[in-house]
Amino acid sequence: ETGVTQTPRHLVMGMTNKKSLKCEQHLGHNAMYWYKQSAKKPLELMFVYNFKEQTENNSVPSRFSPECPNSSHLFLHLHTLQPEDSALYLCASSQDRGGNEQYFGPGTRLTVT
Amino acid sequence: QKEVEQNSGPLSVPEGAIASLNCTYSDRGSQSFFWYRQYSGKSPELIMFIYSNGDKEDGRFTAQLNKASQYVSLLIRDSQPSDSATYLCAVPFSSNTGKLIFGQGTTLQVKP
């Protein structure tokens, strides 16, 4: 256990559904991240939040909408996804943006049908 | 375009041998380097980080950094079958952004 939890662990959704992924960190960190990991591809950073403020959006399509209500919680709202969005979605946290020692949650395995 | 390169493998070593995993990076200004281990179906786990030239040892793991040649290595001594995993190298895109660039990972297989 790294102190970063994610729910749900598995999610199957249709292209017209709306769902949300949740991440919570118990490490007292101030920066949180969403990553996407697809088969045969390197980890891709999606969003960075630092002290609840979004500081990076790595050209992510608008069908992915992040929300960070406080430094401990991070959400990823999903709507009208495409089958190619099927992947492992990982949340991570670090002390701050500069620390860079990022600790990952267990991930949500998303399948879009 | 800043890049991190790893040989995807698989790298196969016998139990008890030294496994050597290599990573090269394109940004000469990079200051910190991270190694993550990822078991199949699991999330990445931070196992080593190194900021200074030279070696850093932690148990059976040694990270070696050569900034002049722009490579960082991970040595695993006395390899065990439980070390079989994919090892990811990560380098910050720039300081103070939190953006890490990951290599594709090297798959290590330790044969009993």
Side-chain angles (χ1 to χ4, degrees):
Chain A
E1 285 295 327
T2 62
V4 182
T5 59
Q6 289 186 244
T7 55
R9 298 290 302 274
H10 300 271
L11 178 62
V12 179
M13 60 185 289
M15 290 190 285
T16 58
N17 292 157
K18 289 184 180 181
K19 296 287 184 184
S20 296
L21 310 184
K22 179 183 176 182
C23 175
E24 182 174 1
Q25 57 94 2
H26 308 274
L27 301 170
H29 289 167
N30 297 305
M32 296 187 76
Y33 311 80
W34 280 117
Y35 285 87
K36 176 183 178 182
Q37 189 172 37
S38 305
K40 311 286 187 189
K41 294 175 71 174
L43 267 170
E44 299 173 62
L45 178 69
M46 300 174 72
F47 302 102
V48 180
Y49 277 82
N50 195 47
F51 290 95
K52 305 190 301 178
E53 299 299 319
Q54 186 183 120
T55 56
E56 295 287 339
N57 176 337
N58 202 26
S59 302
V60 180
S62 60
R63 58 186 183 269
F64 295 92
S65 175
E67 177 189 2
C68 188
N70 54 60
S71 292
S72 299
H73 293 86
L74 185 64
F75 296 88
L76 188 63
H77 304 298
L78 316 172
H79 64 98
T80 58
L81 294 190
Q82 305 298 310
E84 59 265 28
D85 296 321
S86 298
L88 181 66
Y89 288 86
L90 292 157
C91 174
S93 72
S94 64
Q95 184 60 49
D96 52 46
R97 284 184 310 168
N100 288 319
E101 293 158 39
Q102 297 180 19
Y103 297 89
F104 285 84
T108 295
R109 174 69 63 186
L110 173 67
T111 303
V112 181
T113 59
Chain B
Q1 180 77 4
K2 300 186 180 183
E3 294 181 342
V4 176
E5 299 284 341
Q6 294 181 258
N7 187 324
S8 60
L11 172 66
S12 184
V13 300
E15 184 174 356
I18 295 176
S20 178
L21 305 160
N22 298 314
C23 171
T24 60
Y25 57 94
S26 62
D27 183 10
R28 187 170 289 277
S30 296
Q31 297 294 317
S32 52
F33 306 86
F34 302 88
W35 283 101
Y36 287 82
R37 177 177 63 199
Q38 187 172 24
Y39 292 113
S40 180
K42 302 294 186 182
S43 62
E45 173 192 7
L46 180 64
I47 56 171
M48 287 285 282
F49 53 89
I50 185 167
Y51 299 107
S52 304
N53 257 345
D55 295 359
K56 178 182 178 183
E57 188 174 318
D58 183 2
R60 294 186 296 110
F61 297 95
T62 299
Q64 298 179 318
L65 174 59
N66 185 322
K67 289 187 178 180
S69 301
Q70 294 178 239
Y71 79 79
V72 55
S73 300
L74 180 69
L75 301 180
I76 306 175
R77 290 182 300 283
D78 188 24
S79 295
Q80 302 297 307
S82 59
D83 295 325
S84 299
T86 297
Y87 290 80
L88 306 173
C89 173
V91 179
F93 181 83
S94 63
S95 62
N96 232 24
T97 64
K99 295 175 69 171
L100 285 180
I101 302 175
F102 283 82
Q104 194 155 359
T106 298
T107 299
L108 172 67
Q109 297 174 346
V110 181
K111 303 272 176 97

